[in-house]
Amino acid sequence: MASKAAAFKEEGNKCFQDGDFKGAETLYTKAIQKDPTNPLLFTNRAFARLKLQSHEGVIADCLKSIDLLPQNMKAYNHLAQAQLALHHPNEALASATTAYKICLAINNGSATAISALVLKAKKAKWEKVEKERLRRRNELVIELEEWLELASEKEMDAIDEKRRRYEIDDIELAEERQILEVVTRQKIEELRSVFAIADPELHRREVPDYLIDNISFSIMHDPVITKTGQSYDRATILEHLKRSQTDPLTRELLRKEDLRSNVALKQACHEFLDKNGWAADW
């Protein structure tokens, strides 16, 4: 049975690489039927479903995969993305943080991408709180935002209908949905900027220099400190050390073993992001 499952998995992988995510999902399902105890098959199907925007299915597959393999970094990564898509930022942040910890523990090369996912979840969590604050302060802003989101949902439905009529394929579907999400977010940001002119409390502050990573120039979420006192975000400095065993600023010899968690700075970063989630995109 395991050999048949492996064969279905390989066929599924080929479909996935060709952009046929629906075909991949079907083949991974057949593989699971042959070997329901293999956690990686559930992770593979979750990834295909993530591409298909089938987020409830992604969550179900990831939870099953984690049940079979608790330290499954990919499952937690996919789970966080699905939870974000379903507007569950608190759960997404917990899943992304777990994926990040596992990534560091197994020395996986995905730390930068997962670190970005953690920041994205932090921003989504802040936006949920900020939206409620805005609702209490200015109902008009929220009404306009909800109108923009409703218009976006209608456009999403139109895009999905194009896929059902086979006017576009799965890759085009994902691309069009992503573009619409970006455009909608930009419109909401512009709306907030207009109202910020009349409301000083909505003006966005600058991120303090000491919270900025000197490699990516983004705000840090897991800062580490070197023997010479320089601080960097863990994910970006680890990526740098793959290319050069030197400190990016001092050019002195620097190894992974020389890095120590900067606990105080990490706390400062978290506190700043809790109050200023917009900084995740800095």
Side-chain angles (χ1 to χ4, degrees):
M1 298 292 279
S3 60
K4 290 183 178 179
F8 283 129
K9 177 187 174 183
E10 287 303 314
E11 290 183 49
N13 290 345
K14 291 177 182 178
C15 284
F16 191 96
Q17 292 167 2
D18 292 338
D20 180 8
F21 305 124
K22 191 65 181 177
E25 179 191 25
T26 299
L27 287 163
Y28 290 144
T29 298
K30 290 182 179 180
I32 289 170
Q33 290 170 347
K34 296 297 182 182
D35 187 6
T37 62
N38 186 339
L40 303 184
L41 295 178
F42 288 97
T43 306
N44 284 5
R45 188 171 69 177
F47 197 16
R49 287 177 167 176
L50 193 61
K51 295 292 187 180
L52 293 169
Q53 311 287 325
S54 301
H55 299 118
E56 294 287 359
V58 174
I59 291 175
D61 278 346
C62 288
L63 292 177
K64 179 62 178 179
S65 184
I66 291 167
D67 184 53
L68 293 169
L69 181 65
Q71 296 300 304
N72 191 331
M73 182 197 73
K74 287 185 178 180
Y76 277 109
N77 185 24
H78 299 336
L79 179 60
Q81 293 180 64
Q83 289 167 330
L84 272 178
L86 293 176
H87 308 295
H88 301 308
N90 293 332
E91 293 85 349
L93 179 56
S95 299
T97 301
T98 300
Y100 181 74
K101 290 178 180 178
I102 296 173
C103 179
L104 295 180
I106 64 177
N107 198 27
N108 185 275
S110 304
T112 300
I114 298 178
S115 178
L117 181 60
V118 171
L119 287 176
K120 186 176 181 180
K122 283 180 176 290
K123 181 184 178 185
K125 180 180 178 180
W126 169 81
E127 285 185 330
K128 187 174 183 179
V129 175
E130 179 70 358
K131 187 172 182 178
E132 182 57 31
R133 188 189 76 82
L134 284 173
R135 183 183 297 279
R136 292 193 300 268
R137 183 173 182 83
N138 197 326
E139 290 292 336
L140 179 57
V141 176
I142 297 301
E143 286 180 15
L144 292 173
E145 283 190 23
E146 290 178 344
W147 182 85
L148 287 172
E149 290 171 351
L150 181 60
S152 177
E153 289 176 5
K154 290 181 178 179
E155 290 189 56
M156 284 288 189
D157 290 341
I159 293 172
D160 291 341
E161 181 60 28
K162 286 168 63 179
R163 179 65 186 96
R164 285 191 288 271
R165 294 199 302 265
Y166 299 99
E167 295 177 8
I168 56 175
D169 58 27
D170 288 332
I171 295 178
E172 291 171 321
L173 172 68
E175 289 176 348
E176 290 194 23
R177 289 180 66 99
Q178 184 177 15
I179 291 171
L180 179 56
E181 288 174 0
V182 171
V183 170
T184 301
R185 175 53 52 193
Q186 289 174 342
K187 288 180 179 179
I188 291 175
E189 293 292 337
E190 289 172 6
L191 174 67
R192 289 179 180 174
S193 296
V194 170
F195 276 84
I197 297 173
D199 184 355
E201 288 190 21
L202 294 183
H203 279 298
R204 293 187 167 184
R205 296 179 291 167
E206 294 289 317
V207 178
D209 289 341
Y210 63 89
L211 301 182
I212 298 295
D213 174 54
N214 285 309
I215 300 176
S216 66
F217 300 105
S218 300
I219 189 168
M220 295 180 281
H221 106 269
D222 184 17
V224 293
I225 191 169
T226 68
K227 292 187 295 185
T228 59
Q230 299 291 338
S231 289
Y232 303 98
D233 189 75
R234 188 187 301 273
T236 53
I237 189 61
L238 289 178
E239 190 65 29
H240 168 81
L241 292 177
K242 292 178 183 179
R243 301 186 297 270
S244 173
Q245 294 269 303
T246 59
D247 187 304
L249 294 180
T250 67
R251 311 310 300 173
E252 296 179 11
L253 177 65
L254 181 64
R255 300 170 302 172
K256 177 182 176 181
E257 294 75 19
D258 298 327
L259 303 175
R260 297 291 181 271
S261 182
N262 192 331
V263 179
L265 184 56
K266 184 175 182 177
Q267 182 63 30
C269 289
H270 287 187
E271 289 178 356
F272 187 83
L273 282 167
D274 284 344
K275 297 177 181 178
N276 304 275
W278 51 266
D281 287 337
W282 183 259

